[in-house]
Amino acid sequence: MLLIECPWCGPRDEAEFACGGEAHIARPAEPAALSDAEWADYLFMRKNPKGLHRERWCHTLGCRRWFNVERSTITHEITRIYAMGEAAPANENEGEA
Amino acid sequence: MSRYSIFSLIRHARTGHRDWPRAWRSPEPKPAYDVVIVGGGGHGLATAYYLAKEHGIANVAVLEKGWLGGGNTGRNTTVIRSNYLWDSSAALYEKSLQLFEGLSQELNFNVMLSQRGLVGLAHTQHDLREIARRVNAIRLNGIDSELLTPAQIKELVPIINISPTVRYPVIGGSIQRRGGVARHDAVAWGLARGADMRGVDIIENCAVTGIRREGGRVTGLETTRGAIATGKVGIAVAGHSSVLAAMAGFRLPIESHPLQALVSEPIKPIIDTVVMSGTVHVYVSQSDRGELVMGAGIDVFNSYAQRGSLPVIESMLAAAVELFPIFSRLKMMRKWGGIVDVCPDASPIIGLTPVDGLYLNCGWGTGGFKSTPGSGWVFAHTIATGAPHPLNAAFSLERFHSGALIDEHGAAAVAH
Ligand SMILES: Cc1cc2nc3c(=O)[nH]c(=O)nc-3n(C[C@H](O)[C@H](O)[C@H](O)COP(=O)(O)OP(=O)(O)OC[C@H]3O[C@@H](n4cnc5c(N)ncnc54)[C@H](O)[C@@H]3O)c2cc1C
Ligand SMILES: [Zn+2]
């Protein structure tokens, strides 16, 4: 069970949120210039790390705003909450056990 | 290795069943093998079994980081069926169901297959039309499937509530009568014994930590029990597929999610089919011990923790109690989770990878127990010949480049 700290509403039960999956996947500037493999990489391939995961959450049943979360996929511990559009935090432990 | 029979049972009864031999060896890893399978779940064991049996390749090791069958194979709710929508899925899952139908005889090990029938419920007009479409598609593929009225469902499952006044009334459904359940541990143990008997080394407590490559080819593995040289590696690690792919330098369209299940206290027999509802999100069967076995969909977030959150359990039980009011005072005994490998089109990936000699079997997500023998059968063919069998050709990793996805979300989301 996750207790997620919405930047606007404070700590709330996981059931109030929707998970938007991996964060920081930038849409290619020129999609038509990509090969099929590059397009597939953008569309379907995921990091799916065992360790720290940067992901998007939306407070659907609250303020309905999106934000980024850094969370361990091993312990479920949330280590950082930061705004949409903010760069991924530099962290050596990304994806590490 | 001795065969199990009524005579061996009688013979061992004389000594009080105290000296049954071990069902498989526990060998030290050799420095090299022709083929190494990573992952000692049902799929890895089945692959090794069919490599030895169908292709005469017995210099094979199965490496398991924990204990045999301790992953999703030993955590699943054992539903078996082949009622999938698309032709390629129908052919693959039906092959597996047919192998299951002969598995106890073939393995000389009772996998307790019980073809008690599997009912899917419709609660909305949309459900009803979709179920009718599926029943037709399934029958066109020569697989058994029938539509049911609420009255027919009530006759099959007397404890179900078909009142039209509940929030999501039961307004119809379908049944695959050849569907049912089997004993998950027995499938793993029977395949392990069969593979071991043919010379396969099953090595537990041995985690793969690196994949050695030279010039785009696999040359061996690094493990917690030393390096092993081999020219062919088959990966069947379910929730850890992305971790293994990363060791070999490529990415997968897979995300790992918890999938939970629970069992009630044991009670007298009250339900003798499997009932599932993809709309209210619950499915139920009763085990031979009398426990009700229930499950639903995945937890929404990525995880490798083999546990999920309570809201999934709460909503699954709310749905169960509305469908079966008689469950309302039952005690739930245990809940647990496994980490499932979810693919964007809810279909598996079985085939080649960007690395020569490295083969991949993953993406079974919430529904790969039923496909254990079929998956091993086609994967063994793929590894032995270096090319997919016609049954798994469509399930390539390449389909995410070509766009030829096999969308089975309707057959494989809540329904496992
Ligand atoms: C709660 C739940 C209910 C389910 N219900 C159903 C159902 O009703 N019907 C159905 O058809 N399917 C169901 N499934 C799905 C099914 O269990 C799986 O698809 C199937 O068992 C996968 O088998 P496998 O052999 O590929 O994986 P697993 O049994 O998970 O085996 C993979 C093995 O790889 C090992 N491994 C991982 N990393 C390494 C490494 N680095 N080195 C060595 N070994 C490694 C793991 O320890 C594990 O034992 C359910 C799953 C869950 C979790
Ligand atoms: Zn909020």
Side-chain angles (χ1 to χ4, degrees):
Chain A
M1 184 74 165
L2 306 180
L3 185 65
I4 301 173
E5 177 119 13
C6 172
W8 295 278
C9 313
R12 296 298 184 97
D13 187 312
E14 170 195 335
E16 294 183 14
F17 297 85
C19 183
E22 185 178 322
H24 307 298
I25 300 175
R27 187 177 168 84
E30 267 192 275
L34 299 189
S35 68
D36 287 350
E38 286 166 333
W39 184 244
D41 194 71
Y42 158 67
L43 212 52
F44 296 120
M45 304 301 158
R46 295 292 178 265
K47 286 184 179 162
N48 193 24
K50 184 173 183 174
L52 288 184
H53 189 229
R54 282 70 185 261
E55 57 199 19
R56 302 164 307 168
W57 285 82
C58 180
H59 194 189
T60 358
L61 301 183
C63 63
R64 302 178 64 184
R65 291 209 254 185
W66 285 93
F67 53 95
N68 285 320
V69 170
E70 180 188 76
R71 184 181 59 87
S72 164
T73 60
I74 300 169
T75 63
H76 296 175
E77 186 192 356
I78 294 173
T79 43
R80 202 178 309 227
I81 298 219
Y82 57 102
M84 295 303 282
E86 217 175 283
N91 193 325
E92 292 149 18
N93 296 327
E94 182 177 5
E96 290 288 305
Chain B
M1 187 69 60
S2 63
R3 275 185 68 77
Y4 297 147
S5 69
I6 182 76
F7 303 108
S8 69
L9 204 60
I10 293 167
R11 205 164 52 244
H12 282 285
R14 288 205 310 256
T15 50
H17 295 292
R18 274 185 300 267
D19 61 352
W20 283 95
R22 293 183 63 118
W24 55 85
R25 299 163 297 133
S26 183
E28 285 300 309
K30 290 192 279 190
Y33 289 94
D34 293 343
V35 178
V36 177
I37 305 297
V38 188
H43 289 227
L45 294 165
T47 306
Y49 172 77
Y50 289 115
L51 272 173
K53 181 180 171 242
E54 304 282 342
H55 304 279
I57 303 174
N59 184 22
V60 174
V62 177
L63 309 183
E64 165 54 49
K65 77 169 173 181
W67 68 95
L68 195 149
N72 295 341
T73 298
R75 293 164 189 267
N76 80 88
T77 47
T78 76
V79 174
I80 291 173
R81 60 194 174 89
S82 63
N83 53 356
Y84 284 69
L85 179 64
W86 300 106
D87 295 353
S88 43
S89 319
L92 182 63
Y93 287 99
E94 177 59 21
K95 169 74 185 173
S96 195
L97 181 53
Q98 288 177 11
L99 286 171
F100 248 120
E101 287 172 334
L103 204 59
S104 292
Q105 289 298 325
E106 160 156 7
L107 295 176
N108 177 231
F109 200 98
N110 189 359
V111 301
M112 296 165 76
L113 175 67
S114 163
Q115 291 176 291
R116 57 183 70 178
L118 176 136
V119 174
L121 301 177
H123 302 270
T124 65
Q125 287 302 323
H126 171 81
D127 277 359
L128 209 53
R129 287 188 200 117
E130 181 63 22
I131 284 185
R133 172 196 180 209
R134 283 172 184 279
V135 165
N136 287 329
I138 293 160
R139 291 174 72 120
L140 283 172
N141 274 315
I143 297 169
D144 75 296
S145 187
E146 294 158 47
L147 281 172
L148 296 176
T149 62
Q152 287 172 310
I153 294 171
K154 185 75 181 170
E155 209 181 310
L156 275 166
V157 189
I159 60 169
I160 201 168
N161 177 12
I162 56 165
S163 155
T165 61
V166 299
R167 177 66 185 86
Y168 292 103
V170 175
I171 62 172
S174 66
I175 183 167
Q176 180 176 25
R177 294 190 193 272
R178 287 165 61 240
V181 293
R183 172 89 190 141
H184 49 15
D185 294 329
V187 171
W189 298 337
L191 286 166
R193 177 168 168 268
D196 176 271
M197 232 185 253
R198 286 172 171 79
V200 171
D201 283 358
I202 296 166
I203 300 160
E204 294 172 279
N205 298 311
C206 179
V208 170
T209 53
I211 299 177
R212 293 190 173 168
R213 289 153 290 152
E214 256 167 51
R217 270 210 69 84
V218 157
T219 57
L221 295 171
E222 281 151 32
T223 82
T224 49
R225 294 176 68 174
I228 297 176
T230 182
K232 285 188 171 187
V233 173
I235 298 177
V237 296
H240 278 77
S241 299
S242 303
V243 176
L244 269 288
M247 289 179 197
F250 59 94
R251 274 150 61 88
L252 291 178
I254 298 276
E255 289 197 293
S256 301
H257 288 267
L259 179 65
Q260 304 187 69
L262 56 79
V263 292
S264 73
E265 59 188 321
I267 52 174
K268 287 184 179 172
I270 52 164
I271 181 167
D272 63 359
T273 54
V274 185
V275 177
M276 43 178 64
S277 166
T279 296
V280 299
H281 278 212
V282 71
Y283 62 90
V284 185
S285 67
Q286 189 166 18
S287 76
D288 293 330
R289 285 187 296 232
E291 300 158 330
L292 294 172
V293 182
M294 294 185 233
I298 56 172
D299 278 73
V300 293
F301 49 81
N302 289 34
S303 173
Y304 285 83
Q306 291 190 323
R307 60 187 152 80
S309 289
L310 199 62
V312 175
I313 301 288
E314 284 178 319
S315 81
M316 156 197 328
L317 288 174
V321 169
E322 182 162 281
L323 279 176
F324 306 101
I326 194 176
F327 292 177
S328 65
R329 278 165 297 149
L330 265 183
K331 290 190 181 69
M332 297 302 145
M333 302 294 280
R334 298 185 300 281
K335 79 169 177 76
W336 65 91
I339 297 303
V340 297
D341 38 339
V342 176
C343 220
D345 58 356
S347 286
I349 301 168
I350 324 159
L352 315 186
T353 70
V355 179
D356 283 345
L358 184 65
Y359 304 92
L360 185 66
N361 183 339
C362 68
W364 292 97
T366 62
F369 174 68
K370 66 178 73 64
S371 57
T372 302
S375 158
W377 196 87
V378 296
F379 198 39
H381 176 101
T382 307
I383 294 171
T385 64
H389 186 275
L391 282 175
N392 66 314
F395 295 90
S396 65
L397 182 56
E398 208 281 323
R399 76 177 184 270
F400 294 94
H401 298 178
S402 69
L405 303 191
I406 305 160
D407 180 2
E408 287 290 358
H409 281 103
V414 172
H416 310 327

